[in-house]
């Protein structure tokens, strides 16, 4: 019998309940792309998900995957112990309501023991429950008192356990309470009770699980501020989304070289996601009739998995197509003259906007769709509209002025290259984690993560004489 291989240590461990593939949700995009970017920078990264990763995931992502361990009795005991304290009963009730077994969540304890990460980053809604079950890095008593204890004393063991504990960070991205409140304003009255129950659940999740963690990550200043206020997490940082600039290339890059169809629009995203459903429904009802009246050949294509019955019904409107899931959104995007993002609710940063910008497409968007973006002193490479007549004027103008549409798309590509590269986001994350470690009560020692990063701008090699 061959001896089992010793698990290799990692610097950063990403954990999630759901597999981070396919990339059909914001949290999956954030988690997978941040992990991949950190790995490209030379950091030892592991990704562990309670659900198995599909076999069609990219090879780069699959190389980072760590198997979720079978939980041991000791890990379950430690995990439950860390759930104790104020709110313990509510934590158990919330987990039960979500259909999650505490014993399965406890596998994160074994992962930390096996791979000894400096930081554990929870991705997605339920990952905050895992983080709560990990030991805190906070000092439990002063060093002189501890030093007088024997090595077998339980207090000494507890102290040593906490010395070796990783930082616990929740990659919250969109702040959940604000997200639900924004949807509540746009929904029909019949959905009020459902939305209020969801709002109560997410508020409880943030307050009973996130409080006491070492840090939290939001993708916009508003999300980060609300995370601090609602969860009580003192150390929260804004790290804006990146985009895969190699995958989402302009149409001038092969194999896509064909011109867009005239008088055409596109929208894509999960079509069972409330902000997307509300966006396309409002647009078809409020803006589309005037566009079709002025341009009888105008077309709007809506793409995305799981379209709701309400979205499917939009296909009965002349000129509107509901395509459903597509394997490669780039072909549809390049066939369309303008990309529209008429979002009226939701939080965070819209990945579809960054994707369209990376493809060099002209974009017309709502104020909500661009919320959280930093255009700085530059000209915003997106036309922002609010009222239906503004939408009509912006789209009609781009359809009639091809040169302006091309210029707007090229400006969008330059902007996203400068501000939304995942490597830049990963550098920001790792530098911030180092600060968390340096500021912790235990003053954790060891090599910093930032010290392992390659120089962003290496000096030029001198020519030999």
């Amino acid at each position: 019998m061959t001896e089992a291989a010793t698990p290799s240590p990692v610097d950063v461990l990403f954990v999630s309940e759901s597999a981070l593939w396919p990339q059909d949700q914001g949290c999956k995009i954030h988690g997978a792309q941040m992990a991949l970017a950190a790995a490209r920078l030379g950091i030892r990264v592991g990704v562990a998900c309670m659900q198995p990763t599909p076999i069609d995931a990219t090879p780069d992502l699959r190389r980072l995957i760590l198997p979720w361990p079978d939980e041991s009795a000791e890990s379950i005991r430690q995990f439950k112990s860390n759930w104790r304290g104020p709110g313990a009963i509510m934590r158990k009730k919330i987990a039960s309501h979500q259909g999650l077994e505490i014993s399965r969540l406890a596998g994160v304890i074994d992962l930390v023991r096996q791979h000894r990460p400096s930081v554990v980053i929870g991705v997605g809604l339920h990952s905050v429950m895992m983080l709560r079950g990990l030991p805190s890095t906070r000092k439990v008593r002063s060093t002189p008192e501890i030093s007088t204890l024997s090595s077998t004393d339980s207090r000494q063991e507890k102290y040593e356990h906490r010395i070796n504990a990783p930082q616990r960070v929740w990659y919250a991205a969109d702040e959940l309470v604000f997200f639900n409140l924004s949807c509540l304003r746009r929904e029909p009255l019949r959905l009020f009770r459902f939305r209020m129950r969801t709002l109560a659940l997410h508020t409880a999740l943030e307050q009973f699980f996130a409080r006491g963690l070492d840090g939290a990550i939001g993708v916009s200043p508003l999300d980060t501020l609300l995370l601090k206020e609602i969860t009580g997490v003192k150390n929260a940082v804004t790290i804006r989304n990146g985009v895969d600039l190699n995958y989402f290339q302009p149409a001038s890059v092969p194999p896509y070289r064909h011109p867009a169809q005239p008088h055409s629009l596109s929208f894509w995203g999960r079509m069972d996601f409330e902000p997307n459903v509300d966006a396309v429904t409002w647009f078809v009802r409020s803006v589309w009739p005037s566009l079709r009246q002025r341009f009888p050949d105008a077309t709007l294509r809506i793409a995305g998995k799981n379209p709701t019955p309400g979205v499917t019904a939009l296909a009965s409107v002349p000129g509107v197509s509901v395509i459903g899931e597509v394997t490669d959104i780039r072909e549809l995007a390049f066939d369309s003259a303008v990309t529209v993002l008429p979002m009226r609710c939701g939080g965070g940063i819209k990945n579809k906007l960054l994707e369209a910008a990376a493809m060099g497409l002209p974009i017309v968007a709502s104020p909500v769709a661009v919320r959280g973006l930093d255009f700085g002193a530059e000209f915003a490479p997106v036309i922002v509209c609010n009222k239906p007549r503004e939408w009509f004027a912006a789209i009609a103008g781009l359809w009639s002025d091809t040169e302006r549409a091309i210029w707007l798309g090229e400006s969008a590509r330059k902007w996203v290259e400068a501000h939304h590269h995942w490597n830049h986001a990963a550098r920001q994350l790792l530098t911030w984690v180092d600060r968390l470690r340096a500021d912790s009560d235990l003053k954790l020692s060891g090599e910093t993560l930032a010290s392992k990063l390659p120089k962003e701008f290496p000096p030029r090699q001198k020519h030999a004489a």
Side-chain angles (χ1 to χ4, degrees):
M1 180 181 295
T2 58
E3 185 174 339
T6 303
S8 58
V10 300
D11 299 310
V12 181
L13 174 63
F14 289 82
V15 296
S16 175
E17 181 207 3
S18 302
L20 301 185
W21 189 270
Q23 303 273 272
D24 57 358
Q25 293 180 5
C27 64
K28 294 182 179 183
I29 295 174
H30 305 155
Q33 295 300 326
M34 188 70 85
L36 289 167
R40 286 194 299 268
L41 293 172
I43 301 299
R44 298 176 300 178
V45 174
V47 176
C49 308
M50 290 174 60
Q51 296 178 1
T53 299
I55 59 174
D56 63 340
T58 63
D60 287 345
L61 179 60
R62 292 194 65 83
R63 278 192 286 269
L64 303 181
I65 299 298
L66 303 173
W68 194 266
D70 294 328
E71 60 281 355
S72 63
E74 175 61 19
S75 65
I76 295 173
R77 183 193 66 78
Q78 289 183 10
F79 191 89
K80 290 182 177 179
S81 174
N82 292 325
W83 268 28
R84 293 173 186 165
I89 295 176
M90 281 298 300
R91 281 189 278 275
K92 292 179 180 178
K93 287 184 176 180
I94 293 170
S96 177
H97 180 271
Q98 294 293 285
L100 297 172
E101 298 181 15
I102 297 179
S103 59
R104 284 290 290 151
L105 295 171
V108 71
I109 293 279
D110 292 303
L111 281 167
V112 169
R113 184 182 297 116
Q114 293 169 9
H115 300 284
R116 305 185 299 281
S118 298
V119 57
V120 178
I121 300 178
V123 179
L125 177 63
H126 295 138
S127 67
V128 71
M129 299 182 180
M130 304 176 194
L131 298 177
R132 178 71 194 198
L134 291 173
S136 170
T137 56
R138 293 178 179 177
K139 190 182 296 184
V140 291
R141 59 177 68 246
S142 63
T143 303
E145 291 177 336
I146 291 297
S147 63
T148 62
L149 300 174
S150 66
S151 60
T152 58
D153 191 293
S154 61
R155 290 174 295 175
Q156 174 74 23
E157 293 175 355
K158 183 177 182 181
Y159 178 71
E160 291 177 347
H161 190 52
R162 293 195 175 195
I163 285 179
N164 296 321
Q167 302 294 115
R168 303 168 301 164
V169 173
W170 185 29
Y171 197 171
D174 298 358
E175 196 285 313
L176 301 173
V177 175
F178 174 77
F179 170 83
N180 282 281
L181 287 172
S182 71
C183 292
L184 182 65
R185 296 177 58 243
R186 301 296 181 184
E187 289 177 332
L189 189 60
R190 68 177 184 276
L191 297 178
F192 179 79
R193 292 181 62 184
F194 163 78
R195 182 60 59 188
M196 291 303 295
R197 286 196 299 268
T198 305
L199 180 61
L201 171 64
H202 289 171
T203 302
L205 268 170
E206 293 191 9
Q207 293 190 336
F208 288 103
F209 287 98
R211 190 173 297 274
L213 297 183
D214 297 292
I217 302 171
V219 298
S220 73
L222 176 60
D223 290 276
T224 304
L225 175 62
L226 291 172
L227 280 170
K228 287 182 178 180
E229 294 296 326
I230 297 173
T231 67
V233 174
K234 295 181 180 179
N235 296 305
V237 66
T238 299
I239 301 180
R240 291 181 172 87
N241 299 359
V243 62
D244 189 337
L245 294 170
N246 292 324
Y247 183 82
F248 294 104
Q249 291 270 11
S252 58
V253 177
Y256 304 103
R257 289 183 180 273
H258 50 76
Q261 298 178 12
H263 305 155
S264 58
L265 304 175
S266 65
F267 177 95
W268 64 88
R270 280 188 67 107
M271 295 317 302
D272 57 355
F273 184 53
E274 300 98 316
N276 292 341
V277 174
D278 175 80
V280 295
T281 302
W282 174 84
F283 185 84
V284 171
R285 291 175 179 172
S286 303
V287 181
W288 189 243
S290 57
L291 284 171
R292 280 285 292 191
Q293 184 177 6
R294 174 66 177 82
F295 303 93
D297 63 337
T299 57
L300 166 64
R301 290 189 289 177
I302 301 169
K305 67 191 303 183
N306 304 331
T308 64
V311 172
T312 303
L314 297 177
S316 63
V317 177
V320 177
S321 301
V322 178
I323 298 173
E325 185 175 8
V326 295
T327 57
D328 188 344
I329 196 62
R330 293 173 295 181
E331 184 171 359
L332 176 142
F334 291 139
D335 276 343
S336 303
V338 176
T339 301
V340 292
L341 290 95
M343 324 301 293
R344 301 195 302 165
C345 58
I349 289 177
K350 306 298 177 282
N351 291 300
K352 59 178 70 67
L353 187 149
L354 301 181
E355 293 166 1
M359 288 186 278
L361 303 174
I363 303 167
V364 182
S366 67
V368 171
V370 301
R371 182 190 292 146
L373 296 175
D374 183 12
F375 296 118
E378 306 170 24
F379 169 79
V382 177
I383 300 179
V384 181
C385 302
N386 195 1
K387 298 180 180 180
R389 64 175 179 270
E390 296 172 356
W391 279 91
F392 173 84
I395 294 170
L398 290 173
W399 280 348
S400 304
D401 190 344
T402 304
E403 289 187 2
R404 181 167 180 255
I406 293 174
W407 173 81
L408 192 66
E410 291 175 346
S411 299
R413 173 69 188 193
K414 292 177 182 177
W415 165 76
V416 82
E417 285 178 339
H419 297 283
H420 290 277
H421 198 297
W422 275 116
N423 284 5
H424 298 161
R427 284 179 178 273
Q428 185 182 353
L429 168 69
L430 298 169
T431 303
W432 175 72
V433 168
D434 280 341
R435 285 203 302 271
L436 285 183
R437 298 176 69 201
D439 294 341
S440 67
D441 291 338
L442 296 174
K443 303 295 182 185
L444 299 178
S445 60
E447 188 179 13
T448 66
L449 297 176
S451 67
K452 300 181 179 183
L453 299 177
K455 298 295 184 181
E456 192 163 9
F457 301 105
R460 294 181 180 179
Q461 296 292 329
K462 294 182 178 180
H463 295 288

